[in-house]
Amino acid sequence: MKNSKALEIAVGLFMAAGFVALFMLAMKVSNLSSFGSGDSYDITATFENVGGLKVRSPVTVSGVRVGRVSAIDYDDDSFEAVVTMQIESHYNKFPEDTSASIFTAGLLGEQYIALEPGGAETSLEAGSRILLTQSALVMEQIIGQFLFSKAAEGEEENP
Amino acid sequence: MTCWPEIPVFDWLAVLGRSGLGTLERLGRGHLFLWQVFSVLPGLLTRPGLVVRQLYSVGVLSLIIIVVSGLFVGMVLGLQGYNTLVDFGAEESLGVVVALSLVRELGPVVSALLFAGRAGSALAAEIGLMKATEQLSGMEMMAVDPIQRVVAPRFVAGFLSMPLLAAIFSAVGVYGGYFVGVGLLGVDDGAFWSQMQAKVDLYEDVYNGIIKSLVFGFVAAWIAVFEGYDAVPTSEGVSRATTRTVVHTALAVLGLDFVLTALMFGEE
């Protein structure tokens, strides 16, 4: 019987090691630990162009992550993209005139939404909409504008 | 029976047709066998001791090869990844490279291949020898269902231990990469983990990796017990069954890996 007990202990150790490994993968390797407690509220913002923004992209204020993008839809009445953001509920004092911009982390990094608090007295509530938005910068457009302005400069110099 | 003219082409076609029919027949038998195994699974709940014993021989005894290979695969990933990334000044991303390749691909796939070599072949040989020495027929004589008593516990143990082994492989591999990257090559400790946590997604990467290893465990255990049970009851037949187990499992795992990867990560 002792043999069978030792065998069961070995199997128990194996199972425990497996679950510890799964736990380690979930907590230490992946981003589970940055999910927060789960209490959150939704606010929306419309953008002319969301660029490479994706669902689950981070939402930051002053570089601190306060939430995630939970949905991206297209509104075919206003021809704009509607982005729903899930903000963790302990960050609940954003003024009403907070603005939202889509930025890129690094030169080629992923895109995220940066909120910039305004100065209004009243705060954004669940379901409210951010009115001041700045669309994603599309690299082709910037390069196109740059080339266009260079060409225009050239014409001015040699008429 | 019509008499076919003696043209070599017909012989050749006949050989091809026979092998095709044989493959189909084996596939059909394999699925019927799987159905039989499923139908006795409820009865297995009353005898968990059988599964525990098999978990020991399938899971615990595979642990050493999984841990050692995981460690070395992680260390090699650390070295190779560092050499590539340092050219771009991005050696801080080493953690991402190591963790993503382990969790998404190498963990499930390599541990399934090792599992086929270490545990699958043993399962097939064991069941095949039981058949060759007529132990299975003896059980049937005593009104013991060999599928319930012998095959099902081994199948369940293989299916259960595969995701655990893959998780251990990935976790040990990440620490192997950490050891080489941070310990030997001087990548920043904090950047290694924080970049990894920022880029590895729990659902997208870790869960899909676990799903992969569940599928591989199912297939590897199924092939092993079927090949053993279906073996020609001679010593040659058992050896062929063992070989076929390893070869077929490797092919099935690699093929399924492509399909699963295309399904999981294909559409963005």
Side-chain angles (χ1 to χ4, degrees), chain A residues 44-46 96-100 124 128-134:
Chain A
T44 58
T46 56
E96 255 187 346
D97 55 349
T98 295
S99 64
L124 285 171
S128 52
R129 165 168 293 196
I130 293 178
L131 299 172
L132 300 166
T133 62
Q134 188 194 335

Side-chain angles (χ1 to χ4, degrees), chain A residues 29-101:
Chain A
V29 175
S30 82
N31 53 2
L32 179 69
S33 48
S34 60
F35 266 108
S37 56
D39 269 0
S40 62
Y41 63 100
D42 284 356
I43 53 178
T44 58
T46 56
F47 292 94
E48 269 179 34
N49 187 345
V50 291
L53 196 73
K54 296 204 177 65
V55 173
R56 297 177 57 76
S57 293
V59 178
T60 64
V61 182
S62 313
V64 179
R65 207 184 65 77
V66 297
R68 284 188 176 280
V69 172
S70 62
I72 301 175
D73 288 312
Y74 178 66
D75 178 5
D76 52 5
D77 290 326
S78 63
F79 308 117
E80 282 185 321
V82 181
V83 175
T84 311
M85 289 168 266
Q86 227 172 22
I87 308 291
E88 286 172 29
S89 54
H90 51 278
Y91 301 114
N92 55 3
K93 285 187 199 137
F94 294 115
E96 255 187 346
D97 55 349
T98 295
S99 64
S101 324

Side-chain angles (χ1 to χ4, degrees), chain B residues 4 7-22:
Chain B
W4 290 91
I7 303 174
V9 174
F10 285 125
D11 290 346
W12 190 78
L13 280 177
V15 167
L16 191 69
R18 209 180 304 137
S19 75
L21 284 174

Side-chain angles (χ1 to χ4, degrees), chain B residues 75-93:
Chain B
M75 290 187 348
V76 168
L77 274 177
L79 268 177
Q80 295 280 20
Y82 181 83
N83 282 336
T84 314
L85 289 169
V86 79
D87 289 344
F88 303 100
E91 64 269 25
E92 259 72 40
S93 301

